[in-house]
Each structure stands twice: as structure tokens, then as C-alpha cells.
Amino acid sequence: MKRYLILEDGSVFAGEGFGAPFTTTGEIVFNTGMSGYQETITDQSYNGQIVTFTYPLIGNYGINRDDYESIIPTCKGVVVHEVARRASNWRNQMSLDEFLKAKRIPGITGIDTRALTKRIRSEGTMKASIMDTADEHAFDQLKALVLPKNQVQQVSTSQAYPSPDLGRNIVVVDFGLKHSILRELSRHNCNVTVVPYNTTAEEILTLNPDGVMLTNGPGDPTEVPEAIKMIQGIQGKIPIFGICLGHQLFALANGCRTFKMKFGHRGFNHPVREIATGRIDFTSQNHGYAVDRDSVNKDQLMVTHEEINDHTVEGLRHRFYPAFTVQYHPDAAPGPHDAVHLFDEFMEMIDAFQQKQRQN
């Protein structure tokens, strides 16, 4: 079935529909990963977005039970150059087409994704629709549409729930968490309690955690003021590790500013330098906002990591409190595991803090 991808700037791309046969609208973005499409589509950080995959063939190994990053994905659409006609992998359980139909996510194939990506890079991310027509009325509707801003509220859990174990007691604040974060904490035998995004500092402290994890999530960090207040209420009292949106919220809680990037970082080939050592890690990233480096109060915070290509802030550490954050995903999924050691550092920070507390 012939379908169209239309952009807010008036661009039209014709292709063939697959997945769910619905009209959809969202923010058009691109991901540069060569694989990992299942993890990407089910990552809640893509809430409200139409994801363009720059790699030309998507769907060739199907969908399996192990690579879900959430059960109910909330991205708005999938754009590919070519969708695989047949999936071939020993773990394959269904095709990408079948999966998108089951999750009610529209897709479009046959698109010149190189031209589309160049358009996004030159003009920035923008509103887009996948639909059956590309007339003037469709463009008028697209331009008039206001995209929702309550994205974290849409994807966060509404009730606290446990992931039990016998190790360190970790509270995970869910802004749109990936299952891979829970997997890494499970590997460290952590006793995890996942709480909603709007949980207060007092409620978290009542759980008597050894550490607090601030997860990834979608959208503008300034739209989550509840979390900023919560972080201000727990820092210094409990060790904190923030990832992606959690990193941005930690920065805002300490007086920094954030800004919307032109087209963001989405993929898992982003080189990040640890400033203190010069160590380079290739990292998995998915964010459209970043911390304004000039706004970082150097008397309170230390910039620990930077992206090599555009020098955006990729890591922060508090100078006085046991707290550090990174903009990228050390849990990978998909992507390289170069930075997975940061979970070990979080555990070591917790142990050092507890030892210091006992000595006092």
C-alpha cells in the first residue's frame, strides 16, 4: 500500500506502508545504529517520535524475546529504506512487520533515508506524519499540531514495584527506564525498588536506599520539575547515579541550564572522552537535549566526560556529594559495553559512602 512521509517543512517522501495501517504524527529523528532496531523501537526515550533508521536494511533478524527495553513501546512510527522480506535468526519469533502490527505502530519502507537524514541534519528535528495522502490539508494539519510535553508522565510507572534480590538496596526513579538498567542492577545482586517519576524526596528516603538511580526518559527535562525538587532533597544524603534524562535533571537541580539540540545524538557509535584520563569509550546514546556547558557551576560540579565530535557535556560529578551522571547509556542495549564499568563505580561509591557514615 502506497503511503507518504510528510515533513513540517513541506518535504514529501513516498514509500510503501508496513506495520500498522494508521496515520501517525510525531517528531522525526534518525538513529545511526547498524542493528538493535528492536531495542530502539521499545526504548521509551523515543516516546512520541518517528524513528528513521539510517542503515539501509532493517528487520533481517526479526524480533526475539530477549531484546525488549519495554513491553509497550510508545514511539510513533518507523522509517526504513528497506524492510527485510524474511527474518533469519535462531532467536527470531516474529517479523518486524508482524511486531509493528501487534504494537499498533505504523512503518514506511522504500524511503531515501540518506536524503531524509540530510534534511533533518540541515533543518533540525521537526514534526512529521506517515499517512495515505500528501495534500495541502495534510500539511496544514501537521503545522497546526502541538506535540504533547508530558512525555515522562506517559511512560513512567504509576505504581512502585520491586525487583528483589539480597544485595544493595537501590531505588530506581523511572522516567522511562530501559530494562537493561534493571538487568545491570540484577547482575550486581541489587535489591531494586522502581518508583514513579513524581516520587518525593521524603518518600524515597523512607525506603532507606543505599543508592538512587535516575533513569533515561523522553522529552524536555524542564518539563519534570517534580524530579528536580526531589533530587535537591536527596543529594548529599544518598549516593546518586544518573543516566541520560537523569543526567540532565541532576544538572538542572544544581543550577545548570539545558538546551534542545538541532538533531540530537541517537545511535551507538558516539565517542566520549573521559577528561581526567583521556580514555575513549564508544557509547550508546539517545537524547535531543543537552547540558549547557557554560552554565555548569565549577565550584559545585565537575564536567567528567565530553563527546569528541561536538564537545557536548557527557558526564558530571558533584564536588562535595556522592553523585555522578552520564549523558550516554552505560547499559548499552543496543550498543557497545565500553562504559558498563560505571555500574561498578556506582557500587563502589555506595560502599565508600556507607563506610564514611559508619566512621562518623
Side-chain angles (χ1 to χ4, degrees):
M1 179 177 67
K2 189 166 186 177
R3 304 207 78 190
Y4 297 91
L5 172 69
I6 66 171
L7 307 188
E8 185 181 5
D9 68 352
S11 302
V12 179
F13 296 84
E16 294 292 322
F18 73 105
F22 307 130
T23 294
T24 189
T25 302
E27 180 186 39
I28 187 82
V29 300
F30 65 86
N31 181 290
T32 58
M34 295 175 66
S35 60
Y37 53 83
Q38 181 177 344
E39 295 96 321
T40 296
I41 293 168
T42 58
D43 181 350
Q44 296 291 5
S45 294
Y46 284 100
N47 170 271
Q49 295 177 332
I50 297 174
V51 185
T52 303
F53 289 98
T54 61
Y55 190 70
L57 179 63
I58 298 295
N60 49 310
Y61 53 86
I63 300 292
N64 64 74
R65 70 174 190 177
D66 301 322
D67 291 341
Y68 285 92
E69 290 303 318
S70 67
I71 300 301
I72 305 174
T74 58
C75 71
K76 288 293 188 178
V78 172
V79 180
V80 302
H81 175 68
E82 180 183 354
V83 64
R85 295 187 300 275
R86 178 179 298 174
S88 178
N89 184 273
W90 66 275
R91 295 192 302 164
N92 173 46
Q93 293 178 308
M94 69 177 77
S95 69
L96 177 59
D97 179 50
E98 292 169 332
F99 172 73
L100 293 182
K101 282 185 170 70
K103 299 300 181 180
R104 301 176 67 83
I105 299 173
I108 186 169
T109 183
I111 300 297
D112 185 344
T113 51
R114 290 180 298 180
L116 175 57
T117 301
K118 288 176 69 175
R119 172 67 64 178
I120 298 169
R121 285 181 59 90
S122 64
E123 302 299 324
T125 57
M126 65 188 87
K127 291 181 287 186
S129 289
I130 298 173
M131 55 200 329
D132 297 332
T133 61
D135 55 25
E136 187 175 342
H137 178 63
F139 280 104
D140 290 341
Q141 284 186 312
L142 179 61
K143 291 175 183 178
L145 181 72
V146 177
L147 297 177
K149 295 183 178 181
N150 63 335
Q151 292 168 276
V152 169
Q153 182 180 350
Q154 292 178 36
V155 300
S156 175
T157 182
S158 60
Q159 299 289 332
Y161 62 90
S163 178
D165 212 310
L166 300 175
R168 301 170 186 87
N169 188 27
I170 306 298
V171 168
V172 174
V173 186
D174 176 13
F175 302 116
L177 72 82
K178 295 166 60 183
H179 289 176
S180 51
I181 292 175
L182 297 181
R183 292 188 197 106
E184 287 302 326
L185 293 174
S186 176
R187 288 193 182 102
H188 288 82
N189 304 118
C190 294
N191 181 51
V192 173
T193 303
V194 180
V195 299
Y197 77 99
N198 56 356
T199 304
T200 66
E202 292 75 18
E203 290 169 334
I204 288 176
L205 294 173
T206 299
L207 295 170
N208 195 30
D210 298 319
V212 174
M213 168 75 71
L214 309 173
T215 75
N216 64 292
D220 183 348
T222 62
E223 298 291 336
V224 199
E226 307 95 326
I228 297 169
K229 183 179 179 181
M230 176 272 292
I231 294 167
Q232 292 169 338
I234 65 170
Q235 64 180 6
K237 302 173 184 176
I238 299 293
I240 297 172
F241 179 22
I243 293 174
C244 197
L245 182 65
H247 159 81
Q248 297 163 14
L249 291 168
F250 175 78
L252 290 173
N254 284 279
C256 302
R257 296 185 301 272
T258 55
F259 65 94
K260 185 172 175 61
M261 305 171 76
K262 188 174 183 180
F263 50 82
H265 294 165
R266 296 178 180 88
F268 43 86
N269 54 356
H270 289 271
V272 168
R273 177 188 294 112
E274 184 178 34
I275 294 172
T277 64
R279 169 181 170 143
I280 306 296
D281 287 336
F282 281 93
T283 64
S284 176
Q285 300 203 14
N286 174 17
H287 62 102
Y289 289 81
V291 175
D292 180 354
R293 194 172 193 138
D294 293 336
S295 72
V296 176
N297 183 346
K298 296 179 182 178
D299 293 331
Q300 287 188 317
L301 299 178
M302 179 192 313
V303 177
T304 57
H305 298 77
E306 65 178 0
E307 215 269 1
I308 290 176
N309 294 314
D310 60 13
H311 305 291
T312 49
V313 175
E314 293 288 337
L316 292 169
R317 184 179 292 271
H318 205 286
R319 292 186 182 273
F320 306 111
Y321 302 145
F324 72 96
T325 62
V326 290
Q327 180 63 79
Y328 50 92
H329 293 264
D331 50 295
H337 292 80
D338 294 23
V340 72
H341 62 90
L342 293 177
F343 285 90
D344 297 326
E345 291 188 22
F346 183 38
M347 301 300 123
E348 292 166 4
M349 183 173 68
I350 289 171
D351 294 344
F353 180 77
Q354 291 180 340
Q355 184 176 1
K356 185 177 179 180
Q357 292 292 96
R358 287 193 293 268
Q359 291 173 350
N360 292 337

